[in-house]
């Protein structure tokens, strides 16, 4: 698991909780409900809810490929050269798949994580469509990278848009300074319709293991290129 970052599952739970926090939000929900079903002036009920999309649209995906088999072994050998350890058990639930590889061979320490999520229609977000839900989730993650909360434990990232990859994509780069340990993290997000692909590659730029062996340094360009290469290959597996 990458350092200092929420797991995708917990992060998405946090986003969901935002919709229900605070009496003001509850009041708005009640007011909107009254407007829809009673009307704003005692007349016929407003039927705005009928415009919500509640089913998958043509081209949207309900399942994602297996993250563990979406990354070619040649790519793993290039960016994580050595004997790899795969986190167990990998997640592969149909609509979500996750796989993590770790390389620990001082002075090199790398972690590569791939996460794929196919979003479902969600009446709480925008027009309710699965694509809108995926777009909103990725936008929230990008905002969190650019302006992390004071209690997030994350440093501010350098964020850049990526052209010609999926429906939309961006990259981020963060450096975590934790006393005598420094970890660099390269992340690439890709959205294809209602599917979000997240690839993270991090490495120890400075640190020691329990035997006193030193780790680092880390090549920033190598981490970024590794994350981008894997993101392109996994996206290709999604698009077919």
């Amino acid at each position: 698991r990458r350092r200092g970052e929420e797991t995708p599952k917990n992060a998405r739970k946090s986003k969901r909780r935002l919709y229900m926090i605070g009496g003001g939000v509850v009041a708005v929900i009640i007011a909107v409900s009254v407007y829809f079903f009673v009307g704003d002036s005692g007349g016929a009920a407003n039927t705005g809810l009928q415009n919500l999309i509640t089913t998958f649209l043509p081209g949207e995906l309900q399942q994602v490929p297996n993250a563990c088999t979406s990354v070619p072994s040649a790519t793993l050998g290039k960016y994580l050269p050595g004997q790899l350890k795969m986190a167990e058990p990998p997640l592969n639930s149909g609509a979500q798949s996750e796989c993590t590889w770790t390389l620990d061979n001082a002075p090199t320490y790398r972690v590569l994580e791939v996460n794929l999520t196919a979003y479902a229609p969600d009446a709480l977000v925008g027009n309710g469509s699965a694509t809108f839900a995926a777009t909103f989730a990725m936008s929230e993650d990008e905002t969190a990278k650019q302006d992390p909360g004071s209690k997030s434990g994350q440093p501010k990232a350098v964020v850049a848009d990526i052209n010609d990859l999926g429906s939309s994509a961006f990259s981020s780069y963060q450096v975590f300074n934790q006393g005598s340990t420094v970890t660099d993290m390269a992340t690439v997000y890709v959205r294809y319709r209602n599917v979000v692909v997240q690839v993270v590659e991090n490495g120890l730029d400075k640190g020691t293991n329990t035997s006193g062996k030193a780790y680092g340094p880390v090549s920033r360009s190598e981490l970024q290129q590794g994350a981008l290469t894997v993101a392109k290959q996994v996206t290709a597996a999604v698009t077919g």
Side-chain angles (χ1 to χ4, degrees), residues 124-174:
L124 292 177
V125 184
N127 64 4
S129 72
T131 294
F132 197 106
T135 302
F136 178 79
M138 197 165 90
S139 176
E140 289 285 278
D141 286 343
E142 183 174 12
T143 299
K145 293 289 187 182
Q146 293 173 318
D147 187 20
S150 58
K151 297 182 180 180
S152 69
Q154 293 198 44
K156 187 174 182 179
V158 176
V159 177
D161 292 332
I162 301 174
N163 298 321
D164 302 321
L165 181 57
S167 302
S168 62
F170 74 91
S171 66
S172 73
Y173 198 88
Q174 295 165 285

Side-chain angles (χ1 to χ4, degrees), residues 83-235:
Q83 186 173 356
L84 301 180
K85 180 179 180 181
M86 183 183 292
E88 295 289 348
L91 173 65
N92 191 27
S93 65
Q96 186 174 9
S97 184
E98 180 180 305
C99 200
T100 302
W101 297 267
T102 302
L103 172 65
D104 187 353
N105 184 24
T108 302
Y109 187 89
R110 298 284 188 275
V111 178
L112 175 67
E113 181 178 333
V114 176
N115 183 283
L116 300 89
T117 303
Y119 284 79
D122 187 344
L124 292 177
V125 184
N127 64 4
S129 72
T131 294
F132 197 106
T135 302
F136 178 79
M138 197 165 90
S139 176
E140 289 285 278
D141 286 343
E142 183 174 12
T143 299
K145 293 289 187 182
Q146 293 173 318
D147 187 20
S150 58
K151 297 182 180 180
S152 69
Q154 293 198 44
K156 187 174 182 179
V158 176
V159 177
D161 292 332
I162 301 174
N163 298 321
D164 302 321
L165 181 57
S167 302
S168 62
F170 74 91
S171 66
S172 73
Y173 198 88
Q174 295 165 285
V175 178
F176 294 80
N177 288 283
Q178 301 167 312
S180 60
T181 302
V182 178
T183 303
D184 286 26
M185 179 184 294
T187 306
V188 174
Y189 282 86
V190 183
R191 180 183 64 81
Y192 174 72
R193 296 178 179 171
N194 65 312
V195 174
V196 173
V197 174
Q198 181 187 15
V199 176
V200 179
E201 185 173 0
N202 65 43
L204 274 177
D205 189 53
K206 179 182 177 183
T208 57
N209 62 17
T210 55
S211 300
K213 292 184 178 181
Y215 291 100
V218 166
S219 167
R220 176 171 180 166
S221 61
E222 184 178 314
L223 285 185
Q224 290 176 315
Q225 187 58 49
L228 180 59
T229 299
V230 172
K232 288 180 176 179
Q233 293 174 333
V234 174
T235 301

